[in-house]
Amino acid sequence: MGDSGGAGRGPFRRVLLKISGDAFCRQEGTGLEMAEVRAIARQIKAARASGAEMAVVVGGGNILRGAQLSQAGVQRATADYMGMLATVVNALALQDALEKIDVATRCLTAIEMQRVAEPYIRRRCIRHLEKGRVCILAGGTGNPFLTTDTSAALRAAEIGAEVLLKATKVDGVYDKDPREHPDARRFESLTYLDVLNRQLKVMDMTAISLCMETGLPILVFNLKVEGNIEKAVRGDRIGTLIGAG
Ligand code: UDP
């Protein structure tokens, strides 16, 4: 578990930012809290202004999670499609908040709904990024039984992002839960295998495996600290960097 030093820390030319749905609501809450969405939008604007091209994958867990709904009796695939639709609701909220502060955006969905957003087409997404637009990628991968973390890993590889910025509510990966253990230690860096073998709860295994296969570094950092998205994009030493080691 060596410290990989500054390698892979940026500054980055193109990033993929993954924001979970629970960043869009109040702590331990559900649904949409526009004040939270606006705060994220302001951070994205500042990060974009630093020059990096930005694609954002949004989750939907603040609205619903397929696995949970299937426990209530809804067929899993159907519940997952419902979850994917929930991510579109969040994407539109973020798009609105970004546009209100004059950030050019495009929303692209993995499930086609052309009245609402463009279909996700890789080359088109890249073109938007080159033109400086923030691309909000919604609808997950478009396939059930997966998560938006996997979608983030997939899209990052497809569009040639240099890093997957995994925004969370804690400032990195710890050896034990820092809320319960005051002596918990934050890792400066980890390898993909460390994460898989220790079953550290960073992202699901499919997502980590995909990052490992494509050699995509992951930076886990705290989104709720104002300015952290910009710092992550600039390559400041925040959070935990996961890579090949
Ligand atoms: N989902 C899916 N396939 C995907 C991405 C998402 O089926 O490629 C569904 C799944 O039911 C998931 C829900 O969409 O629970 C919301 O996504 P996720 O749980 O990843 O959101 P987050 O936890 O990031 O808010």
Side-chain angles (χ1 to χ4, degrees):
M1 212 175 311
D3 182 346
S4 64
R9 286 263 181 196
F12 299 108
R13 186 184 47 83
R14 179 176 292 167
V15 304
L16 190 135
L17 171 67
K18 162 69 207 296
I19 305 176
S20 292
D22 58 15
F24 286 67
C25 60
R26 281 207 195 92
Q27 190 87 17
E28 316 298 341
T30 55
L32 271 173
E33 179 61 45
M34 282 313 290
E36 301 289 338
V37 181
R38 284 189 204 106
I40 294 170
R42 283 195 299 274
Q43 283 205 56
I44 291 175
K45 180 175 181 166
R48 173 73 202 97
S50 77
E53 295 173 6
M54 297 183 72
V56 185
V57 165
V58 291
N62 55 322
I63 300 172
L64 72 88
R65 288 206 169 84
Q68 277 168 13
L69 198 64
S70 76
Q71 279 171 6
V74 178
Q75 194 197 10
R76 177 64 193 265
T78 302
D80 279 339
Y81 280 112
M82 292 166 74
M84 286 183 261
L85 295 179
T87 70
V88 181
V89 173
N90 285 336
L92 294 180
L94 180 62
Q95 182 174 43
D96 185 83
L98 283 166
E99 285 186 340
K100 292 251 163 67
I101 53 172
D102 302 317
V103 179
T105 65
R106 288 292 185 277
C107 180
L108 297 87
T109 59
I111 297 172
E112 287 188 23
M113 44 180 90
Q114 297 208 37
R115 303 275 169 98
V116 173
E118 290 180 14
Y120 172 77
I121 297 168
R122 178 180 158 267
R123 284 170 185 279
R124 234 168 131 164
C125 177
I126 291 171
R127 191 80 193 104
H128 287 317
L129 293 172
E130 287 169 350
K131 288 187 172 174
R133 297 168 184 145
V134 173
C135 285
I136 306 168
L137 307 179
T141 62
N143 300 293
F145 303 102
L146 296 173
T147 64
T148 51
D149 280 349
T150 299
S151 162
L154 180 66
R155 297 302 187 223
E158 281 188 76
I159 64 171
E162 291 157 307
V163 66
L164 194 168
L165 302 177
K166 163 78 178 166
T168 66
K169 286 189 273 188
V170 280
D171 57 358
V173 185
Y174 284 78
D175 56 353
K176 44 195 164 186
D177 190 339
R179 285 168 302 190
E180 287 167 24
H181 304 272
D183 62 333
R185 198 170 67 88
R186 178 170 64 85
F187 297 109
E188 179 87 359
S189 63
L190 285 165
T191 67
Y192 305 111
L193 285 176
D194 291 331
V195 176
L196 291 172
N197 293 338
R198 290 169 158 243
Q199 303 199 353
L200 297 170
K201 301 255 175 301
V202 180
M203 301 199 299
D204 58 87
M205 293 220 181
T206 315
I208 297 282
S209 305
L210 192 52
C211 291
M212 186 164 80
E213 241 167 69
T214 56
L216 179 76
I218 306 161
L219 181 72
V220 183
F221 71 102
N222 190 348
L223 169 84
K224 293 292 177 185
V225 175
E226 180 85 36
N228 259 2
I229 298 179
E230 187 184 352
K231 284 186 182 159
V233 163
R234 275 202 321 238
D236 291 4
R237 293 183 75 91
I238 58 166
T240 299
L241 184 69
I242 301 165

